[in-house]
Amino acid sequence: MAFPEPKPRGPELPRKLLKTLDCGQRAVRAVRFNVDGNYCLTCGSDKTLKLWSPLRGTLLRTYSGHGYEVLDAAGSFDNSSLCSGGGDKAVVLWDVASGQVVRKFRGHAGKVNTVQFNEEATVILSGSIDSTIRCWDCRSRRPEPIQTLDEAKDGISSVKVSDHEVLAGSVDGRVRRYDLRMGQLFSDYVGSPITCTCFSRDGQCTLVSSLDSTLRLLDKDTGELLGEYTGHKNQEYKLDCCLSERDTHVVSCSEDGKVFFWDLVEGALALALPVGPSVVQSLAYHPTEPCLLTAMGGSIQCWREETYKAADGTG
């Protein structure tokens, strides 16, 4: 007699608080994993950018050079460079190892909400409240952008980059996808100011959050609405959303101090994770593991799955 195969275990959600780090940057505006998830960046309202090993809880380096609060940052694919943008309207390229400013790109007419490298880390894309996305050549000395995307009618809140596409969310209520291979622009109207947008990990879908306290999953190619996710609160702040490491769950910050997880296919709320008493300002999901970083006030929190045991036995 054959016994039935055990059911494959469902994906685990990061619901166990592993560490809280006081970042010493006044308010943490954004938290971002690096490309392999071993390190993270925190953007401070004290004008600094900090590099951490979040599971160990150690500060590795502080980057100073912005003239106003830092609003977003990203790491290059080879971990050698960082880019950041902020309230001083500048986009900064940093050398990770030395902590030095390599280039400071100026040209935006308002604060820079979002920055991303292209895949080769030869170009930085920055989105600003001035309604433009600007593309800066990291290797050239020329001060002006190599391209400006100015189709949005209001501020750019979110920019993401794939190998041949740029995905942009705007306060004008539209999510725009630039296909650089085809030289085409695709636009989908959501109607409410967009706070964050991202690609699914398989590249088939886009996730869009907006100020009507709703997340929408769209088919990337057709714009068809595949799912809507509600229950969280997002009516006034620019909050992050993402998909879990295996595209099984939709994840969002909330203004009521929680992080919400929904089952991607069914749309049902799977977990409302209580983080603290105020707005969850930002989040970052590990690229390959059920590990979540959240930012609230002046600190970040590191969350893992219930069964997690740290290599050093501190799980």
Side-chain angles (χ1 to χ4, degrees):
M1 168 184 161
F3 287 100
E5 288 285 319
K7 279 175 77 173
R9 292 187 52 175
E12 291 194 90
L13 296 178
R15 58 177 78 217
K16 177 163 83 168
L17 179 61
L18 214 59
K19 273 205 168 46
T20 298
L21 305 180
D22 181 2
C23 297
Q25 296 172 283
R26 302 217 291 269
V28 177
R29 294 296 181 208
V31 59
R32 303 286 178 248
F33 271 114
N34 76 321
V35 64
D36 57 20
N38 290 330
Y39 306 104
C40 75
L41 296 161
T42 55
C43 303
S45 64
D46 70 343
K47 313 179 195 173
T48 68
L49 182 63
K50 291 188 177 183
L51 179 68
W52 305 83
S53 172
L55 287 174
R56 291 211 303 271
T58 48
L59 174 64
L60 302 173
R61 194 173 278 283
T62 300
Y63 301 84
S64 302
H66 273 286
Y68 209 69
E69 61 181 356
V70 187
L71 296 172
D72 195 18
S76 64
F77 74 96
D78 60 0
N79 290 324
S80 68
S81 303
L82 305 173
C83 64
S84 59
D88 59 0
K89 311 177 193 173
V91 176
V92 181
L93 173 66
W94 308 85
D95 178 65
V96 168
S98 69
Q100 297 300 305
V101 173
V102 179
R103 294 288 310 278
K104 198 175 267 195
F105 301 101
R106 298 189 182 279
H108 279 297
K111 69 180 182 179
V112 178
N113 283 325
T114 176
V115 290
Q116 288 273 291
F117 281 108
N118 68 339
E119 285 217 325
E120 300 81 31
T122 53
V123 176
I124 300 169
L125 292 93
S126 56
S128 164
I129 63 164
D130 70 5
S131 319
T132 69
I133 299 165
R134 296 180 193 228
C135 308
W136 311 93
D137 186 344
C138 298
R139 299 168 301 181
S140 134
R141 306 310 284 168
R142 50 185 284 194
E144 63 277 353
I146 48 176
Q147 191 172 4
T148 300
L149 307 173
D150 57 4
E151 285 75 16
K153 306 287 184 283
D154 207 330
I156 303 290
S157 57
S158 179
V159 171
K160 297 292 190 310
V161 184
S162 76
D163 62 343
H164 67 283
E165 297 164 305
V166 176
L167 185 68
S170 170
V171 180
D172 69 7
R174 285 190 178 275
V175 56
R176 294 174 176 84
R177 181 171 59 90
Y178 298 84
D179 187 317
L180 305 176
R181 277 186 200 153
M182 310 282 289
Q184 286 181 296
L185 167 61
F186 303 91
S187 173
D188 291 302
Y189 186 59
V190 169
S192 177
I194 292 168
T195 58
C196 185
T197 181
C198 59
F199 292 106
S200 59
R201 309 233 175 212
D202 67 7
Q204 302 297 304
C205 308
T206 56
L207 181 66
V208 183
S209 69
S210 49
L211 289 182
D212 55 358
S213 298
T214 305
L215 287 96
R216 293 171 176 86
L217 187 72
L218 307 176
D219 182 288
K220 189 185 77 176
D221 293 323
T222 66
E224 180 190 351
L225 181 65
L226 302 175
E228 284 192 321
Y229 310 89
T230 56
H232 66 301
K233 183 176 179 215
N234 186 11
Q235 294 167 330
E236 50 181 318
Y237 292 99
K238 178 178 128 45
L239 301 184
D240 292 330
C241 65
C242 67
L243 290 155
S244 62
E245 86 281 10
R246 283 162 36 197
D247 276 346
T248 56
H249 289 81
V250 169
V251 190
S252 176
C253 294
S254 181
E255 290 163 13
D256 61 6
K258 300 186 185 82
V259 171
F260 283 71
F261 295 77
W262 295 266
D263 182 287
L264 176 124
V265 176
E266 312 213 333
L269 183 64
L271 174 65
L273 181 71
V275 177
S278 55
V279 177
V280 183
Q281 217 32 87
S282 179
L283 60 75
Y285 214 99
H286 193 285
T288 56
E289 296 175 24
C291 176
L292 173 75
L293 299 177
T294 51
M296 180 178 286
S299 58
I300 61 169
Q301 301 78 30
C302 181
W303 307 82
R304 291 292 313 221
E305 70 276 26
E306 293 277 17
T307 56
Y308 176 76
K309 286 280 180 284
D312 59 5
T314 58

